Amino acid sequence: MCGADAGNDIQGLSVRCPSQVEEIVPTLDDDLLYGFALSRTAEECHPTVRDLRAGECVLGLSPDRVAYANLSQPSLSAENLKKAYELRERVSEKERLRISADYYALVTGELEKEAQTYQLWIQSYPHDPIPHGNLGVNFISLGQYDKSLAESEESQRLGPNNFISYLNLGLAYLALNRPDHAKATFEQALARKLDGGGLRLSLYYLGFLQGDSTQMEQQLAWGSGKPGVEDLLLSAQSDTEAYYGRLAKARGFSRRAVDSAVRTDSKETAALWQVNAAVREVEFGNVAAAKQGLASALALAPGRDVKVLAALAAARIGDTARAKTMVEQLEKSHPSNTVLKLYWLPTLKAAIELNVGNSSQALISLEAAAPYELGEQLGTLFPAYLRGQAYLLAHNGTAAAGEFQKLVNHRGIVLNFRSVHSPISASLAPTPWSATRTKQRRRIRIS
């Protein structure tokens, strides 16, 4: 059973949590495979996964490799996962499947192999909710939300007291523009006394989409002082402030998010919040502030995800040489990463082309990202956003409007993402769901 969750990326969470703890494999180094890895207070954890001796939340026998990823420290996660993958033949079949899937997801980024591993897991252990839940996350990364919903529902059916299953299901509903279903799912989790930072962040986003500032404030208050949760909500609030044009307040909340993460020694998390703010400054035209934020983030923790957004910021401010160098480094260091190849590299290359006025090449670069642009990555719908700008540069206003309309049509994916507030697309931004009554989010893994 999984209790509290942890972890985040800029727009989505990346949480892995075991629902079963029956396997103990003493042949592996305890520090490698089983650790008290999540820096969470005991009060935040569900009672079944609470370790009062350490005062930390232990998600079953959660490996350190997964916990680091949950805390937005993918570099540390990858380091531990590589070791575990090398020793995978020394563990049971299920643990071998678990390690392999985590390795493909968090080290090589090969989502196809990750999905195949979960399919094998399901065939061997048909009553296990874990592979269904994580396969649902895999589909979210690719923007296939209907498939994600089906897998999340099956995971919840098999593990009715598994907190993460409720969270995944609710997030799929948000992405599919079904806020009422998302709200009901989150409330079901709370009714079962299943709670955590991921749920509170999701409730915050739901409040934003429905124009419920009271709910947003309640979630901020709930997270105050909670290590590893406070920074999530503070960064989310920074994007909300920027969305409404309150840039000074946005900067203040970003600083607080960075400071909160640093206090818990989560430097890579802090760097993500820092570079998130830098990309936002670019969209407001504040080049000097963007450069400063970019440099600070890279100095703090130059991990892969930080480098991706840093490359984007460099491209957007016209530092073409630096952006190209970073893109080349990413290509060389992560040749098999699905999201990088199909989403980020095309986006980064398009951003570089846009800054030199080459709209046609930017559009060509973005063709590869089109099938995956709805996936919830670090930069929500950025391919469509840049494609719209490329069309404007090419004096094709109709095509540009069609791209910006995607931001309006997928509010449950875009949320309060900074690009929606840009001068180009702000006029298309809709009012919240609660006001329009239209019929018309984050990434959670279990492990």
Side-chain angles (χ1 to χ4, degrees):
M1 180 183 300
C2 182
D5 67 301
N8 57 80
D9 57 29
I10 287 182
Q11 281 300 309
L13 301 177
S14 183
V15 175
R16 291 166 172 265
C17 176
S19 62
Q20 300 177 14
V21 297
E22 74 277 17
E23 296 184 43
I24 298 177
V25 189
T27 55
L28 282 181
D29 182 356
D30 285 348
D31 289 337
L32 169 65
L33 192 56
Y34 311 125
F36 301 113
L38 297 183
S39 299
R40 292 290 181 272
T41 62
E43 288 74 20
E44 185 188 347
C45 302
H46 189 276
T48 58
V49 291
R50 188 178 297 169
D51 180 45
L52 298 177
R53 293 171 302 165
E56 294 180 341
C57 178
V58 182
L59 302 185
L61 297 176
S62 181
D64 284 341
R65 61 181 188 274
V66 173
Y68 284 128
N70 289 348
L71 294 173
S72 282
Q73 299 187 66
S75 297
L76 290 172
S77 172
E79 180 182 327
N80 281 278
L81 254 174
K82 289 176 183 177
K83 297 176 184 177
Y85 188 74
E86 292 171 359
L87 299 170
R88 67 190 183 282
E89 297 304 323
R90 296 170 56 184
V91 301
S92 67
E93 180 187 16
K94 183 182 285 190
E95 183 61 20
R96 186 160 56 250
L97 289 166
R98 188 192 309 267
I99 290 173
S100 296
D102 290 345
Y103 178 80
Y104 294 134
L106 303 173
V107 179
T108 67
E110 296 173 278
L111 297 189
E112 301 89 348
K113 290 186 178 180
E114 181 197 12
Q116 291 169 4
T117 303
Y118 290 136
Q119 294 289 5
L120 289 174
W121 190 338
I122 291 169
Q123 291 174 18
S124 299
Y125 303 93
H127 301 296
D128 193 337
I130 293 174
H132 288 285
N134 286 354
L135 187 56
V137 177
N138 185 284
F139 287 134
I140 283 178
S141 298
L142 298 174
Q144 299 174 13
Y145 296 105
D146 288 325
K147 292 182 179 180
S148 175
L149 185 64
E151 293 296 335
S152 297
E153 287 176 334
E154 181 64 8
S155 179
Q156 186 189 51
R157 186 186 70 81
L158 293 170
N161 289 319
N162 191 315
F163 170 76
I164 300 301
S165 295
Y166 286 88
L167 188 50
N168 278 341
L169 186 59
L171 293 171
Y173 280 133
L174 274 186
L176 290 168
N177 290 331
R178 297 165 66 179
D180 292 339
H181 288 78
K183 182 178 181 180
T185 301
F186 297 147
E187 289 177 347
Q188 287 175 19
L190 290 174
R192 288 176 174 266
K193 301 189 184 304
L194 303 173
D195 202 351
L199 177 63
R200 296 297 179 151
L201 183 61
S202 299
L203 286 169
Y204 174 92
Y205 285 131
L206 181 63
F208 171 82
L209 292 167
Q210 296 184 322
D212 189 344
S213 59
T214 298
Q215 174 162 294
M216 296 164 68
E217 291 170 1
Q218 288 173 346
Q219 308 318 316
L220 280 169
W222 184 91
S224 179
K226 290 183 171 64
V229 175
E230 180 182 60
D231 62 294
L232 280 172
L233 290 158
L234 289 172
S235 185
Q237 182 65 21
S238 76
D239 280 332
T240 296
E241 298 294 348
Y243 180 92
Y244 288 110
R246 300 188 288 259
L247 189 53
K249 289 187 176 181
R251 290 169 175 163
F253 277 104
S254 286
R255 284 193 295 270
R256 290 171 61 187
V258 171
D259 291 343
S260 178
V262 169
R263 283 196 300 271
T264 62
D265 200 30
S266 298
K267 291 184 178 180
E268 199 161 2
T269 310
L272 281 169
W273 302 148
Q274 186 81 62
V275 75
N276 175 54
V279 174
R280 184 173 61 220
E281 293 287 355
V282 172
E283 300 309 318
F284 277 88
N286 301 321
V287 174
K291 286 183 176 180
Q292 182 178 356
L294 186 161
S296 297
L298 290 173
L300 187 60
R304 181 196 64 208
D305 293 346
V306 174
K307 288 180 180 178
V308 165
L309 289 187
L312 179 62
R316 298 290 286 157
I317 62 178
D319 192 347
T320 303
R322 186 175 193 178
K324 285 184 176 180
T325 298
M326 296 181 75
V327 167
E328 291 172 359
Q329 291 174 345
L330 287 167
E331 283 184 299
K332 183 178 180 179
S333 301
H334 309 281
S336 302
N337 189 292
T338 304
V339 171
L340 194 63
K341 288 190 303 182
L342 301 178
Y343 185 100
W344 275 115
L345 290 178
T347 300
L348 294 174
K349 291 176 181 179
I352 292 171
E353 295 297 337
L354 277 175
N355 259 298
V356 296
N358 194 345
S359 61
S360 60
Q361 187 57 50
L363 290 170
I364 291 172
S365 294
L366 288 169
E367 287 177 2
Y372 311 98
E373 64 189 22
L374 294 181
E376 292 186 358
Q377 314 303 342
L378 294 173
T380 304
L381 274 177
F382 230 106
Y385 177 59
L386 293 185
R387 193 180 295 109
Q389 293 193 331
Y391 278 128
L392 283 180
L393 187 61
H395 307 290
N396 188 341
T398 300
E403 294 301 316
F404 294 134
Q405 186 66 36
K406 292 178 182 178
L407 303 176
V408 179
N409 294 343
H410 299 286
R411 296 287 291 139
I413 299 174
V414 174
L415 302 173
N416 59 351
F417 186 52
R418 56 197 163 271
S419 71
V420 177
H421 180 74
S422 74
I424 294 175
S425 58
S427 62
L428 292 173
T431 51
W433 272 317
S434 59
T436 61
R437 305 300 181 190
T438 180
K439 295 182 180 179
Q440 317 255 19
R441 167 206 94 96
R442 330 219 24 82
R443 206 171 20 176
I444 314 299
R445 278 193 173 87
I446 311 166
S447 184

